Amino acid sequence: MLSRIMVAIVGIPLLIYILYHGGFPLLLFVNVIVGMGAYEFYNMAEMGGKKPHKAAGIVGALLIPNVLFFNELGTLSIDVAGLLAFFVIFLIGYRVLENKVENASVDIGETILGALYISVLFSHVILISFLPNGGKWLLTAQIMVWVCDSFAYFTGMAIGRKIFNRGFSSISPKKSIEGSIGGTVFTIISLYFLEKYFHLLNNRELGMSNIIIIGIFISVIAQIGDLGESMFKREFKVKDSGTILKGHGGILDRFDSMLFVAPTVYYLLKFIVL
């Protein structure tokens, strides 16, 4: 318990500072999450009997946020789709040169999944940081994830299965429909107050309809992200993705929801809100 509290005391203020201020500290943070997250995913896959190309997958995963960051700065102009294409070509070519046929599609598929799942999704944090008020939106997204997770838990503990008899998902049997609804309601409420005091848009208010739409989207996607990681852990038969965050599990255990929320927030902002 003490180690859990210490990680929170040190980690939360540091995370808030990095998300809000962006720049190279954010790039370093994203590299740590992507690198460690990919490492954890491939470790879990190995525990589940798979044989991903771990080193190639981690290197490929780390290339994506760095290319995106320096593309946004204007110092690079590399097509990320092309980068991913050559990543796939390299993996298949390497396997061909190894002359190993057995489980080739599974091993290569697990490697590509690890890179796409962790890096492509979480690297949207970089893209959000370059939007107007990007730091505010990143911090808002993270707070909404925390609120959704916490109030889904507390609501589930208080009234879980008292209204709806069945659970939310067989992937995570302890989660309840009541908890999911509670998480969504409080996510919307949190965005209302964040907009009120943060002024997330420069020249206008976000508006109640946008608050409700974004709140629902973020809550649903955050819960899918949580269940997605739980699905992989159940498949690989592991309890936690890692142990690096004492008392909190691994990197993926802490950032599973944000993996899905980051691209959702980016595209909502880019094509609907901003």
Side-chain angles (χ1 to χ4, degrees):
M1 178 60 72
L2 180 60
S3 61
R4 185 183 180 93
I5 294 171
M6 290 304 297
V7 168
I9 289 173
V10 174
I12 291 175
L14 183 61
L15 179 58
I16 290 171
Y17 176 86
I18 290 171
L19 291 177
Y20 188 77
H21 290 282
F24 284 99
L26 180 65
L27 176 63
L28 177 60
F29 165 71
V30 172
N31 272 285
V32 170
I33 299 302
V34 167
M36 290 300 301
Y39 176 81
E40 288 180 355
F41 182 85
Y42 294 136
N43 266 2
M44 290 194 299
E46 287 176 340
M47 291 178 191
K50 308 295 191 295
K51 295 180 180 179
H53 299 278
K54 185 188 294 185
I58 293 172
V59 171
L62 287 171
L63 283 173
I64 295 167
N66 290 282
V67 166
L68 285 174
F69 182 83
F70 289 105
N71 276 353
E72 291 293 326
L73 284 182
T75 54
L76 281 180
S77 182
I78 297 175
D79 182 26
V80 175
L83 183 68
L84 292 174
F86 279 107
F87 177 58
V88 173
I89 291 168
F90 171 80
L91 290 174
I92 295 174
Y94 181 79
R95 190 63 174 235
V96 168
L97 293 175
E98 278 190 317
N99 200 29
K100 290 174 63 177
V101 174
E102 187 178 0
N103 295 321
S105 62
V106 174
D107 297 344
I108 293 169
E110 290 285 346
T111 307
I112 294 171
L113 175 61
L116 295 182
Y117 169 51
I118 314 297
S119 186
V120 172
L121 296 184
F122 198 73
S123 291
H124 282 79
V125 167
I126 298 288
L127 297 177
I128 295 171
S129 72
F130 283 95
L131 293 175
N133 287 334
K136 288 183 180 180
W137 278 108
L138 276 178
L139 187 52
T140 295
Q142 184 61 72
I143 291 171
M144 291 170 70
V145 167
W146 285 335
V147 168
C148 180
D149 184 54
S150 299
F151 281 93
Y153 173 78
F154 291 132
T155 305
M157 289 289 289
I159 59 171
R161 299 177 192 269
K162 293 180 181 177
I163 301 173
F164 302 96
N165 291 327
R166 64 186 183 86
F168 182 74
S169 171
S170 60
I171 293 172
S172 189
K174 292 183 179 180
K175 296 185 187 299
S176 65
I177 295 174
E178 293 88 344
S180 176
I181 295 171
T184 301
V185 170
F186 280 97
T187 301
I188 295 170
I189 293 171
S190 71
L191 180 56
Y192 171 80
F193 284 107
L194 288 165
E195 156 63 10
K196 185 175 181 179
Y197 294 106
F198 265 24
H199 305 294
L200 296 168
L201 300 178
N202 286 329
N203 54 2
R204 59 189 172 90
E205 292 184 351
L206 187 57
M208 199 62 209
S209 60
N210 279 332
I211 288 172
I212 293 171
I213 291 169
I214 294 172
I216 291 172
F217 261 100
I218 298 308
S219 176
V220 170
I221 295 297
Q223 293 178 62
I224 291 173
D226 180 41
L227 288 169
E229 197 232 355
S230 296
M231 176 180 68
F232 290 132
K233 289 193 293 187
R234 278 187 170 272
E235 179 191 359
F236 299 142
K237 295 179 174 57
V238 298
K239 182 178 183 294
D240 294 319
S241 67
T243 59
I244 190 170
L245 301 174
K246 302 298 183 182
H248 292 266
I251 292 293
L252 290 181
D253 295 319
R254 291 301 93 200
F255 291 95
D256 50 4
S257 294
M258 197 62 178
L259 291 177
F260 280 52
V261 166
T264 303
V265 168
Y266 176 73
Y267 293 111
L268 282 173
L269 293 177
K270 192 169 179 66
F271 296 113
I272 297 177
V273 178
L274 297 179

